Every structure is written in C-alpha cells, then in structure tokens.
Amino acid sequence: VSRGVTILSVDGRRAPSQLVVDLFERQRAAGREGQAVRFVVRMAPLDVVCSPHLKNFQAAAAAELPKLLKDAREGAGWYCSFHSRAMSTIKREDVMAALKDIMKPLKLDLSVSDAEYMVVIEVNPVLCGFAVLRDYEGGLYECHLQKASEEFENCATVSESDQEESAENTSPREDAHSETGPEG
C-alpha cells in the first residue's frame, strides 16, 4: 500500500477498532511481563473503508457515523485525528466540515481538548478509512503501541518498586537500643 504500512483485516465478528482496544488492554494487563513491541508503531483501526475521494468519504461518514455513535450521550465531545499519506484528494478542512454537518443532528459537541469520542481517519493512495474510538489520547496512547508498551512496562516497574519501598517502610525496624540503666 505504502512504504511501512501494512493492512490487516479481521473477521466479521468484531470491528477492527475493537481488536485494537483489546490488544491495548492485553498489553496493559501484561505490564512488564508482556512481550515488547518492536515492529508495530501505530495502529489505525479502520471500521469503515471507501475510496480516497471526498465525495466517497462524505457518503460513507454520513451513512456510518450515526451507527458508530448510536450509544453516545447527548452533548458528548468529539474530535478528529486526521492522517494523510501522500494524498491531497481529501483535506483536513473538508473532513472537519463534513463531520460537523454529520454530528450536529446527533447533538454531539466539538471538543478540541477533552474529546470523549475520536474519529480516527486515515487517507492513503489506496483507501480512506475511519473508526470511532474512546479514550484515544489516554488509554490508547493515540494508537501508538510502542509508546503504550513502554509506558505499561514503566508503570509495572514503578509499581513494583513502590511496593518494595512500602514493604520496607511498614516492616518493623530494629532500632539500635543501648541498654542504659537508670541514671543516678
């Protein structure tokens, strides 16, 4: 597709975004005992795919985003993470305009700094795809698996050292007492 990019498909039982969420949860649970991630840097789950042209994106987004956001509470914040590789057929400004039109009837609010839902969009010469993710900047580390893996390992190491330090502080200390008799 593009240098350094690999596309994987998943069976129809679950969406690619759910696979990514499960993978990050598994990596977090494994902590320091988990396997280090070397060959995957960033994952872009694409639940909906179309050809890389604005009209196709607009049609796909209008049809699929309401389904993907059907459980979103009214007033929830959303934002967009847009990545384009060597393409100019879809521009960020056009994507934002299309998303604003789609989100307005869903009664979701644009939130630049604290979005509950992130519409992740990937555009490359072969396809345009998107997914909706929660906790994109937090628990999913913006889908950077190496960064998340390092963070999980560091948290596990810090947690272990905290436990050891806590155990040292709570264990009875043997203070050196000198036996001195009553003075006088």
Side-chain angles (χ1 to χ4, degrees), residues 6-10 15-17 20 42-50 68 120-124 127-133:
T6 301
I7 296 177
L8 303 173
S9 65
V10 291
S17 59
V20 169
R42 190 173 76 81
M43 301 180 78
L46 305 176
D47 292 343
V48 179
V49 177
C50 62
L68 295 173
V120 179
I121 303 168
E122 184 76 29
V123 181
N124 64 49
L127 59 83
C128 170
F130 62 91
V132 176
L133 297 171

Side-chain angles (χ1 to χ4, degrees), residues 8-29:
L8 303 173
S9 65
V10 291
D11 61 22
R13 292 181 290 198
R14 63 181 173 170
S17 59
Q18 188 58 49
L19 173 70
V20 169
V21 168
D22 292 347
L23 181 63
F24 274 77
E25 286 176 2
R26 201 171 311 143
Q27 192 71 16
R28 182 181 303 109

Side-chain angles (χ1 to χ4, degrees), residues 27-138:
Q27 192 71 16
R28 182 181 303 109
R32 202 167 56 111
E33 288 81 34
Q35 189 171 4
V37 177
R38 294 184 185 150
F39 303 112
V40 176
V41 177
R42 190 173 76 81
M43 301 180 78
L46 305 176
D47 292 343
V48 179
V49 177
C50 62
S51 67
H53 300 284
L54 182 59
K55 288 193 184 272
N56 297 37
F57 169 76
Q58 290 168 327
E64 298 298 324
L65 278 176
K67 295 175 193 173
L68 295 173
L69 292 164
K70 69 179 187 276
D71 295 329
R73 65 176 173 75
E74 187 175 316
W78 69 272
Y79 198 60
C80 165
S81 174
F82 180 82
H83 302 277
S84 180
R85 299 177 191 281
M87 288 297 291
S88 61
T89 58
I90 301 177
K91 293 183 173 70
R92 179 177 176 75
E93 297 80 25
D94 297 331
V95 165
M96 286 302 290
L99 291 177
K100 286 177 185 177
D101 290 342
I102 294 166
M103 299 299 189
K104 192 177 224 175
L106 300 176
K107 298 183 178 162
L108 300 175
D109 296 331
L110 179 64
S111 176
V112 179
S113 62
D114 194 24
E116 188 174 339
Y117 296 94
M118 185 67 71
V119 181
V120 179
I121 303 168
E122 184 76 29
V123 181
N124 64 49
V126 175
L127 59 83
C128 170
F130 62 91
V132 176
L133 297 171
R134 293 182 81 165
D135 201 21
Y136 177 73
E137 293 173 332

